[in-house]
Amino acid sequence: MKAIKLILPAMALLLASCERDTELDPPAFVKQPVLISYISPSDALIKAELSYTVPYFGKYQDTAERIYNAAVSITDESTGATAILPHQANGVYSVNANSLPIEPGHRYTMRVELPGGFTCSSSTTVPPQPKIDDLKIVSWSMGDKRESNWGYVYWPFSLQMNYAGEFAENEYLFAEFMALLEDGPFGLYEENMWFNNSGMAGGTGAPYKLFGESQFGEYGTADPSFQFLSGTLWIVDENYKAFFETQYQNESNPFQEPILFHSSISEGALGFLGSYTLATGDIWP
């Protein structure tokens, strides 16, 4: 044991003597084009935004250089029809959706050509159109009246909805709904619902179960009663979902760690072409 006690301090001294500061040069910045576009049958315009990347190291920049002189087109691979997206302003290219209707189940490819001949592209298959009538409330529960430590009075409530529609394993179901509750003679009040499994993948077979919860604050003196839900049901493709989720990580903070944004663009360009469908309406128990 005495030998061990003598060896350990010696090892610590040896390791400490090997420590030194090292300066590393940041990686060289390579300017790359960025394409951001998402299409839907519900949109009046087919739109794309083009810009260049900005350096992560060095002087902080909160704006990107826009691309004004690109040739942008979109093709319906199911029909062969193509529409040109003229430049409108500030790097935004768009065309009326009547020029090329966006249809569920069709595959679309967007192509970009920059001056000098650089070209890139990305493709997406538009998800199926959801139907509000396929969404049913199967259970509803209002908890007992509660009071927080600072005197806030509320009722927790939860519900389960089943969606009977079908969508593929690389497509995702999102729900955004408000619950409307009646507080006796004091009228109707809205509360945002939170669905803990919103964004579920398809391909597993209906029904797809959505579990929501929220709480109702005390506005009057009567116990609240649930009336109906009002909101939107979305089905999005994989590109749209991945880009959407990275947006919550982007805090526009120059000191945060770099974020690896999802990209589906060819030829080393960045960005994505995504697609989504939606349906809005009311759901009654």
Side-chain angles (χ1 to χ4, degrees):
M1 293 299 293
K2 291 184 178 179
I4 294 177
K5 289 180 180 179
L6 291 174
I7 290 173
L8 288 179
M11 290 180 63
L13 181 61
L14 177 63
L15 291 174
S17 65
C18 294
E19 181 180 334
R20 66 177 182 176
D21 295 333
T22 302
E23 293 186 2
L24 299 176
D25 293 329
F29 170 65
V30 178
K31 185 167 70 172
Q32 297 171 296
V34 179
L35 165 66
I36 302 295
S37 179
Y38 36 90
I39 59 177
S40 172
S42 62
D43 290 342
L45 295 175
I46 301 172
K47 187 169 69 172
E49 297 184 30
L50 289 174
S51 62
Y52 287 109
T53 54
V54 297
Y56 179 76
F57 297 99
K59 185 178 180 180
Y60 175 66
Q61 301 180 38
D62 59 357
T63 58
E65 177 187 352
R66 302 292 180 170
I67 300 176
Y68 304 98
N69 50 2
V72 182
S73 65
I74 185 169
T75 299
D76 183 340
E77 304 292 353
S78 303
T79 65
T82 298
I84 304 299
L85 282 66
H87 179 253
Q88 304 299 331
N90 200 30
V92 176
Y93 298 73
S94 68
V95 67
N96 193 294
N98 292 332
S99 302
L100 186 71
I102 304 300
E103 302 288 350
H106 287 211
R107 187 164 182 81
Y108 295 84
T109 299
M110 185 170 288
R111 295 178 174 85
V112 174
E113 182 176 354
L114 301 180
F118 176 85
T119 61
C120 60
S121 63
S122 184
S123 299
T124 180
T125 299
V126 180
Q129 179 67 40
K131 298 178 181 178
I132 288 292
D133 290 344
D134 286 341
L135 194 60
K136 305 294 183 184
I137 299 173
V138 296
S139 66
W140 162 264
S141 175
M142 176 72 76
D144 295 332
K145 183 177 180 179
R146 300 180 185 179
E147 184 173 349
S148 67
N149 293 334
W150 53 89
Y152 174 69
V153 177
Y154 65 97
W155 288 262
F157 62 87
S158 60
L159 60 80
Q160 176 188 331
M161 296 192 294
N162 287 355
Y163 180 65
E166 292 291 351
F167 52 105
E169 62 181 356
N170 61 344
E171 297 167 338
Y172 303 87
L173 183 71
F174 286 86
E176 295 181 357
F177 282 89
M178 301 280 292
L180 281 88
L181 301 98
E182 185 177 23
D183 193 12
F186 300 98
L188 288 173
Y189 296 91
E190 296 179 341
E191 297 291 349
N192 283 312
M193 295 294 303
W194 178 70
F195 294 91
N196 56 21
N197 62 335
S198 186
M200 73 177 72
T204 59
Y208 295 93
K209 300 177 181 180
L210 287 163
F211 300 96
E213 59 185 32
S214 187
Q215 62 184 33
F216 178 78
E218 184 180 44
Y219 300 102
T221 58
D223 289 344
S225 61
F226 173 65
Q227 299 299 308
F228 63 95
L229 293 177
S230 182
T232 304
L233 194 65
W234 308 69
I235 301 180
V236 307
D237 79 332
E238 193 168 23
N239 290 338
Y240 187 92
K241 177 179 183 288
F243 180 80
F244 175 80
E245 289 179 339
T246 58
Q247 299 312 291
Y248 284 106
Q249 303 174 39
N250 182 18
E251 300 175 354
S252 299
N253 181 350
F255 302 105
Q256 73 181 32
E257 291 295 320
I259 297 170
L260 298 178
F261 284 100
H262 171 79
S263 180
S264 66
I265 312 297
S266 69
E267 309 305 324
L270 300 177
F272 83 109
L273 170 67
S275 57
Y276 67 93
T277 53
L278 61 84
T280 59
D282 300 332
I283 305 173
W284 296 79

